[in-house]
Amino acid sequence: MPRSPPRRDDQSRQPVRDQHRRHCPHGTAALQVALQLAGVEAKDEVIIPALTFVATANAVHYLGAIPHFADSEDQTLGLDPAALRDWLSTTAERSGAGAGWRNRHTGRRLRALVPMHCFGHPCDLDALLAIAHDYQLALVEDAAESLGSRYHGRHTGTFGLLGTLSFNGNKTITTGGGGAILTDDMHLADHAKHLTTTAKRPHRWESIHGEIGYNYRMPNLNAALGCAQLEQLPDFLASKRCLAARYCDAFADSGLEQARLMQEPPGCKSNYWLQTLILDERVADQRDAILEVTNDAGLMTRPAWTLLHQLPPYRDCPRAPLPVAESLARRIINLPSSAGLA
């Protein structure tokens, strides 16, 4: 069952004790297994942001489940709890005593909620946990981009039933590829290890597999690289915050009024995985011209991802109104963000 919302006291701000990790070959595999551990089954619907990397939806699809897209908020770039609660109030209905909630339009079970901490900025987790509690949704955090980010003093990826990280080559630290599943539930941690090692039961010589598992183990060489990278993580995070401050100073001195730099949400500490410029709506039509000029000058600027409901595989998936996500997608420009630039 999903957990109750965290208490707003000092205890809820402490690091999670006995946090267990299971390493995987990449973040997508970690999210796929985490969703399976959370009880997601074929034909279930899983609520995810439309503004996220395609891997979030792919992990849902690999289980035969259906992504259900929700809107984002301007302040965090993550799921908007107010908009989501309003949407569910008209879209979700009880399935029966103890059977959870379903989408009244499709008849499918609403099983999980997956906040993604966009570009490393934490979502409004308290409000999203409250929604997960009220609608009996398992909350699984996609913290692929937010290693080192904290929400009210506590690390992202540790609030839900499970959380996942990515160590891809473009992340804050890398193992060349790789990911991890986080949970403080020993039973889920043991099951995660079982599923990611081909579901082989311990035995001195027999190969007995009690369920369908995956060969999702991280190779030792990659893990060794990750251990070395972890030693440098504090320096990487400090460099990225320094770079964010330098960008802020540069744009403040420029007098530019038609754009703003994304700042960490109140009460949060972001890892600033990507430095993000957000254009005003009135100049959104100049985004592509800016991308062209900067890339011609050798600066690797990038837009946000194509929204998931606009991709061919996911065009027919259920979705809430997405006005903010669609606006943000027109206006976001990601700036060079390497820790080495600081």
Side-chain angles (χ1 to χ4, degrees):
M1 293 292 292
R3 298 176 186 172
S4 299
R7 294 188 306 248
R8 299 297 304 232
D9 57 25
D10 290 341
Q11 184 176 352
S12 69
R13 300 293 175 237
Q14 298 304 312
V16 173
R17 295 181 178 179
D18 300 323
Q19 191 75 31
H20 306 290
R21 300 172 297 279
R22 180 60 196 169
H23 298 115
C24 294
H26 42 74
T28 311
L31 185 56
Q32 174 194 339
V33 174
L35 289 169
Q36 182 173 338
L37 292 168
V40 173
E41 299 177 351
K43 304 303 181 183
D44 286 344
E45 292 185 13
V46 177
I47 299 169
I48 67 173
L51 179 62
T52 183
F53 183 55
V54 69
T56 311
N58 287 348
V60 175
H61 179 76
Y62 296 157
L63 295 174
I66 315 297
H68 184 137
F69 302 123
D71 205 11
S72 299
E73 60 178 1
D74 191 73
Q75 188 175 49
T76 68
L77 306 183
L79 282 171
D80 184 336
L84 179 57
R85 187 175 285 279
D86 183 63
W87 172 246
L88 290 175
S89 70
T90 60
T91 303
E93 63 180 9
R94 291 189 181 275
S95 297
W101 296 71
R102 65 185 178 190
N103 183 336
R104 68 171 69 245
H105 305 296
T106 65
R108 292 188 289 255
R109 180 174 67 157
L110 296 167
R111 186 65 191 95
L113 174 63
V114 182
M116 193 280 288
H117 304 293
C118 191
F119 307 144
H121 300 293
C123 301
D124 185 350
L125 283 165
D126 281 346
L128 292 170
L129 281 162
I131 291 173
H133 176 265
D134 293 345
Y135 286 92
Q136 297 177 263
L137 301 169
L139 191 136
V140 178
E141 287 178 76
D142 183 347
E145 300 175 359
S146 63
L147 180 64
S149 297
R150 292 181 177 272
Y151 177 82
H152 296 290
R154 183 166 149 186
H155 200 289
T156 54
T158 66
F159 285 81
L161 183 65
L162 301 112
T164 61
L165 301 172
S166 171
F167 307 127
N168 191 35
N170 64 349
K171 295 303 190 294
T172 305
I173 67 168
T174 182
T175 58
I181 301 168
L182 307 177
T183 183
D184 58 359
D185 185 313
M186 178 60 79
H187 173 74
L188 290 177
D190 288 344
H191 199 185
K193 180 178 181 180
H194 183 63
L195 285 176
T196 56
T197 52
T198 67
K200 184 179 183 297
R201 295 177 181 172
H203 194 278
R204 292 175 61 192
W205 56 81
E206 295 283 3
S207 292
I208 302 172
H209 303 264
E211 58 186 311
I212 295 174
Y214 312 97
N215 187 11
Y216 280 175
R217 293 164 290 191
M218 179 187 289
N220 289 340
L221 288 175
N222 298 80
L225 175 59
C227 289
Q229 288 267 294
L230 275 173
E231 294 178 359
Q232 302 180 69
L233 178 59
D235 291 338
F236 291 156
L237 294 172
S239 294
K240 282 184 170 287
R241 293 187 70 82
C242 178
L243 181 61
R246 290 181 62 188
Y247 272 126
C248 283
D249 290 343
F251 279 97
D253 292 343
S254 73
L256 182 66
E257 298 180 352
Q258 294 84 20
R260 65 179 174 90
L261 282 165
M262 180 66 191
Q263 299 292 305
E264 59 193 4
C268 299
K269 188 171 183 178
S270 298
N271 67 358
Y272 286 102
W273 175 61
L274 288 185
Q275 315 289 341
T276 303
L277 186 69
I278 304 178
L279 304 179
D280 285 356
E281 190 67 65
R282 55 185 166 158
V283 295
D285 60 348
Q286 298 182 38
R287 185 202 69 175
D288 287 353
I290 296 170
L291 290 168
E292 183 173 6
V293 168
T294 49
N295 279 275
D296 285 347
L299 301 174
M300 293 181 63
T301 55
R302 295 290 185 268
W305 316 278
T306 300
L307 295 178
L308 295 184
H309 71 289
Q310 297 170 346
L311 297 176
Y314 298 119
R315 284 176 180 163
D316 296 328
C317 291
R319 65 178 185 267
L322 303 169
V324 176
E326 290 172 350
S327 174
L328 287 169
R330 292 192 298 268
R331 300 186 288 124
I332 284 175
I333 297 176
N334 286 315
L335 305 173
S337 302
S338 169
L341 292 175

